[in-house]
Amino acid sequence: MKLIKIEQNCTHITFPYVSHLLKKALEYNDGEYLIEDIYSSLLDGRLTLWVGCSEKDKQIVFAGTTAIIEYPQYSVLEIIHIGAENNKFIRCIKDMWDKDSELMKYIKLNNLKRVELLGRSGWLKALNKVGFKKSYTALTKDI
């Protein structure tokens, strides 16, 4: 699997090929984003688009978005959305966290200390294998 960071000026070309994958991620959120919001956030640079390509199948198998969050003491990469074809993302996780992956190079280039992800509890089982741990529990209340 090859992970590719899509440059901001290529979003308009790539987005039509991956929007159906990102819509899958929206099925599990609380309405914070619509697909149009993701697109505009990618165009203005608030989000970064990543795609995973299966070298075996020669196709895009997942798409995700990230944002750099700057805390007072350090900055982190937050994974905002992940959508995949038939859970193929789970099978590609190990490759993403390889020290030579494009994602890890991006993290080092931007001097990021940590990666954060809000997600359903099933993510912990999958990401635990590459060093993720549960740090918080997110609680929400609609007003």
Side-chain angles (χ1 to χ4, degrees):
M1 194 272 312
K2 177 132 178 104
L3 181 66
I4 301 167
K5 177 184 167 285
I6 304 302
E7 296 299 327
Q8 184 179 351
N9 64 349
C10 296
T11 298
H12 67 287
I13 297 167
T14 309
F15 194 79
Y17 296 100
V18 299
S19 62
H20 70 287
L21 297 171
L22 294 169
K23 285 179 184 177
K24 290 182 178 198
L26 297 179
E27 294 172 11
Y28 300 101
N29 76 9
D30 285 335
E32 298 92 345
Y33 285 88
L34 300 173
I35 195 68
E36 296 85 4
D37 301 324
I38 294 174
Y39 185 62
S40 65
S41 296
L42 291 166
L43 289 176
D44 69 18
R46 286 179 286 151
L47 295 179
T48 299
L49 180 62
W50 299 83
V51 297
C53 299
S54 168
E55 293 171 305
K56 177 182 152 194
D57 299 332
K58 307 261 189 266
Q59 65 179 9
I60 296 172
V61 295
F62 79 87
T65 65
T66 61
I68 294 177
I69 308 298
E70 295 180 5
Y71 294 119
Q73 301 302 315
Y74 56 86
S75 298
V76 302
L77 185 70
E78 183 175 4
I79 299 172
I80 311 289
H81 305 101
I82 299 173
E85 295 286 354
N86 302 320
N87 293 322
K88 289 189 178 182
F89 174 76
I90 300 297
R91 290 181 239 147
C92 303
I93 288 174
K94 186 178 177 192
D95 294 337
M96 290 178 59
W97 302 105
D98 181 79
K99 65 180 175 67
D100 295 323
S101 74
E102 191 164 349
L103 180 63
M104 293 304 290
K105 290 176 185 174
Y106 180 78
I107 289 168
K108 289 175 186 170
L109 177 71
N110 288 285
N111 198 30
L112 305 174
K113 181 178 178 178
R114 162 180 303 144
V115 177
E116 297 179 343
L117 165 76
L118 292 173
R120 296 174 293 140
S121 58
W123 282 108
L124 181 59
K125 182 179 178 184
L127 293 172
N128 191 352
K129 297 173 185 173
V130 291
F132 277 75
K133 65 179 181 174
K134 182 176 180 180
S135 295
Y136 309 99
T137 300
L139 304 171
T140 63
K141 176 180 172 54
D142 290 338
I143 306 295

